[in-house]
Amino acid sequence: MQEKENILRILNETKEALKNKNSFRLKELSNQTVHTSSIDQDKDNIAIAVLIYSLSKIIERKEFQSPKEGKKLYNYLLDQVSLCIEALRKNEDEKLRKLMEAFRTHLEKVLGGLKPYIQDVFRKAQINKASKIYEHGISMEQTAKLLGITLFDLASYAGQKPEISNAPWGQTLSVKQRVKLAEDMFR
Amino acid sequence: MKPSLSIKPSTDERVIIFDSSSIINFTLNGLLTEFRELKRIFKGKFIIPLEVKEEIIDKPMQIKRFELEALKIKELIEENILELPTSMGIDESKISAKTKELMNLANNTFSGRQSPIHIIDSGETACLVLSTILSERGIKNIICVDERTIRMLGEKPENLLDILKNRLHTQTITPKKENYKFFEGFKFIRSTELIFVAYSRGLVKLKNGIVLDALLYALKFNGCSISDEEINEIKKLNKA
């Protein structure tokens, strides 16, 4: 695990955000890990970004709003985040990976009827994080590989982000010149 | 590794090399009829390296969500609309070996605080290698790629450096500028330029005053890195 101190801080703040049921803050925290992920491309960092983003979506569900069930679910999430922090502090990378996997499987189990929804949330979180990394200048193929998604998943999502297509750096040749290149090939 | 610019095309042969991003875009937009029409009027070959085939056919074929798209692309190969480098007598293993070499250079061109940043992968790099091999044989070629990183590395690596610095909110990205020369001289187009050619030559069946606009935006929204401003410029070229 690279950038350990930074990730520890982010996980501690994730706990606070969960206590405050603050999904917006969770999204912000997830994005913070992306900066380092783009450089280091550490798969554990990326998994944490995906997990935190997924949590931000999942806690918005009505199941988390009910006083009794919701409290139980929140307590589970808080306990798991605490265990992740502990594993990270002790440099127990393998344990950390298992704990992160357990989030998903546990949520799929206790929210039985929502299994497809949870799977979808995690998949979309992967695509969202991938588009962020692509935004940072890493190629589409490399990004898709890092996140374990396909280029088909990434292409349509990334295409809808003006931060990518409208960024001033993207234009590296005039339109006229590029069209001419294409037309010349067809002469 | 860069294509030998001093070598003038010695044959009438010409090739458009496709990266995964542009083929995926044509497929997701249901524009394979137009793609076939483009091939019909093209006096040359549409080629994909094996590494790209893996990304757009072999892998998605294993995923139910994209199985249909993979099948449609596979059909393009079966019809010889898309061909592999072996169809030109180019040894795949030679491409693979050179791809590793060039990828290693690309992925050691920008460094973060502690380590080099892995910016590109094998599919897009194989397109560059294939372009170099074709240029060495005097075959006119161009790379069609919709994603922006490889294009920026080839055409304006300083822009890629700016993105890395700006998006990462850090000035601690160190470029190895001596590597830039390995990526110079490649020619790139995008799916948007190809669809412009198709449109201006009457290959698009759909007839409506706003069809070009719709086509360009459809390609943009499925991953072609093109700005609104560039789209407006392309539309003006059509009126000119």
Side-chain angles (χ1 to χ4, degrees):
Chain A
M1 169 66 71
Q2 297 177 25
E3 289 277 333
K4 183 180 155 185
E5 291 310 313
N6 188 37
I7 300 297
L8 269 174
R9 175 189 63 77
I10 286 170
L11 283 175
N12 277 311
E13 291 186 31
T14 297
K15 254 176 90 173
E16 284 309 303
L18 280 170
K19 279 180 195 162
N20 298 323
K21 303 177 180 178
N22 188 342
S23 62
F24 181 75
R25 180 67 187 142
L26 287 173
K27 286 189 187 86
E28 278 181 345
L29 288 167
S30 170
N31 286 342
Q32 284 179 23
T33 63
V34 168
H35 293 317
T36 51
S37 301
S38 302
I39 299 180
D40 304 328
Q41 302 186 8
D42 181 299
K43 292 203 171 171
D44 293 332
N45 285 0
I46 292 169
I48 286 173
V50 169
L51 175 68
I52 299 174
Y53 190 85
S54 304
L55 292 180
S56 79
K57 290 284 176 191
I58 290 168
I59 66 164
E60 287 170 353
R61 294 282 311 188
K62 67 175 187 321
E63 288 78 1
F64 278 80
Q65 315 307 325
S66 91
K68 200 178 159 195
E69 280 307 300
K71 198 178 172 196
K72 242 164 83 179
L73 287 165
Y74 271 112
N75 285 340
Y76 166 76
L77 296 182
L78 286 168
D79 288 348
Q80 283 294 107
V81 174
S82 297
L83 290 171
C84 287
I85 291 171
E86 203 185 308
L88 188 55
R89 277 208 185 106
K90 292 180 181 168
N91 294 319
E92 294 172 336
D93 288 1
E94 198 46 49
K95 188 176 175 187
L96 179 66
R97 278 173 212 135
K98 284 187 177 152
L99 284 165
M100 286 195 285
E101 277 171 31
F103 265 100
R104 185 171 168 165
T105 43
H106 181 82
L107 288 170
E108 282 175 6
K109 203 170 143 191
V110 293
L111 300 170
L114 291 179
K115 190 174 173 178
Y117 169 78
I118 289 166
Q119 286 173 341
D120 197 45
V121 164
F122 273 86
R123 192 181 78 86
K124 284 181 179 154
Q126 283 176 303
I127 299 169
N128 177 287
K129 293 301 112 188
S131 78
K132 291 271 174 199
I133 291 178
Y134 176 49
E135 202 179 294
H136 281 65
I138 310 303
S139 85
M140 212 179 248
E141 191 187 336
Q142 171 60 11
T143 306
K145 198 172 174 184
L146 270 176
L147 270 294
I149 58 170
T150 69
L151 283 165
F152 287 87
D153 279 312
L154 184 53
S156 51
Y157 195 92
Q160 288 165 40
K161 301 204 66 153
E163 298 92 324
I164 296 171
S165 56
N166 285 344
W169 306 284
Q171 188 166 353
T172 45
L173 196 69
S174 80
V175 165
K176 223 174 177 171
Q177 285 172 299
R178 212 180 291 284
V179 166
K180 190 174 179 307
L181 284 176
E183 283 179 332
D184 280 351
M185 289 300 285
F186 282 83
R187 271 187 225 291
Chain B
M1 185 62 69
K2 64 181 178 178
S4 315
L5 294 173
S6 54
I7 300 174
K8 290 262 185 293
S10 58
T11 70
D12 284 340
E13 279 185 281
R14 52 188 65 188
V15 170
I16 300 181
I17 303 163
F18 286 88
D19 172 54
S20 311
S21 54
S22 47
I23 301 284
I24 286 174
N25 210 340
F26 274 103
T27 311
L28 287 176
N29 276 306
L31 291 171
L32 293 183
T33 305
E34 286 74 8
F35 190 78
R36 285 182 170 88
E37 284 295 291
L38 278 167
K39 175 64 175 53
R40 187 178 57 78
I41 63 158
F42 185 61
K43 296 172 190 135
K45 286 176 183 277
F46 285 0
I47 302 269
I48 52 166
L50 203 58
E51 288 80 354
V52 167
K53 179 182 166 277
E54 278 166 21
E55 288 298 327
I56 59 177
I57 300 176
D58 304 342
K59 278 187 199 166
M61 200 74 95
Q62 313 300 319
I63 301 165
K64 294 291 171 208
R65 189 186 294 269
F66 299 113
E67 201 178 6
L68 181 62
E69 283 79 7
L71 276 176
K72 287 179 182 174
I73 301 172
K74 190 167 175 268
E75 197 173 52
L76 292 176
I77 297 217
E78 286 158 2
E79 293 170 8
N80 287 332
I81 301 287
L82 278 179
E83 293 177 79
L84 292 169
T86 44
S87 70
M88 301 192 75
I90 299 170
D91 185 2
E92 300 283 7
S93 61
K94 189 180 168 190
I95 298 178
S96 299
K98 286 197 179 292
T99 296
K100 278 185 195 149
E101 217 176 284
L102 191 61
M103 212 167 84
N104 191 37
L105 278 169
N107 293 332
N108 279 286
T109 298
F110 301 101
S111 295
R113 278 154 293 187
Q114 291 159 341
S115 53
I117 305 174
H118 193 134
I119 50 170
I120 59 172
D121 207 64
S122 57
E124 46 234 3
T125 317
C127 292
L128 301 182
V129 171
L130 182 55
S131 172
T132 305
I133 294 172
L134 292 171
S135 296
E136 282 167 0
R137 292 185 178 189
I139 298 170
K140 188 176 177 177
N141 67 88
I142 202 159
I143 304 168
C144 184
V145 54
D146 280 4
E147 76 96 39
R148 65 181 186 179
T149 307
I150 195 84
R151 185 162 46 82
M152 282 194 286
L153 182 64
E155 291 178 339
K156 268 195 184 170
E158 56 276 22
N159 281 21
L160 190 52
L161 178 63
D162 283 346
I163 286 197
L164 291 166
K165 281 182 176 174
N166 191 283
R167 293 284 180 207
L168 298 167
H169 309 293
T170 174
Q171 292 300 309
T172 54
I173 305 290
T174 318
K176 207 187 240 183
K177 289 186 177 169
E178 61 270 30
N179 281 4
Y180 287 179
K181 63 177 180 289
F182 296 105
F183 305 95
E184 282 171 2
F186 294 99
K187 289 178 184 166
F188 300 96
I189 54 170
R190 300 168 287 198
S191 59
T192 43
E193 280 77 41
L194 279 184
I195 211 67
F196 177 78
V197 171
Y199 180 80
S200 57
R201 297 193 178 209
L203 303 177
V204 178
K205 296 275 182 294
L206 192 60
K207 304 289 177 209
N208 187 303
I210 58 162
V211 133
L212 181 60
D213 182 75
L215 287 166
L216 295 171
Y217 271 101
L219 291 166
K220 175 185 167 76
F221 287 128
N222 271 314
C224 181
S225 181
I226 183 168
S227 66
D228 297 331
E229 199 185 321
E230 287 177 286
I231 288 185
N232 284 332
E233 283 181 51
I234 294 186
K235 289 192 305 189
K236 278 182 202 157
L237 286 178
N238 181 52
K239 287 172 192 159

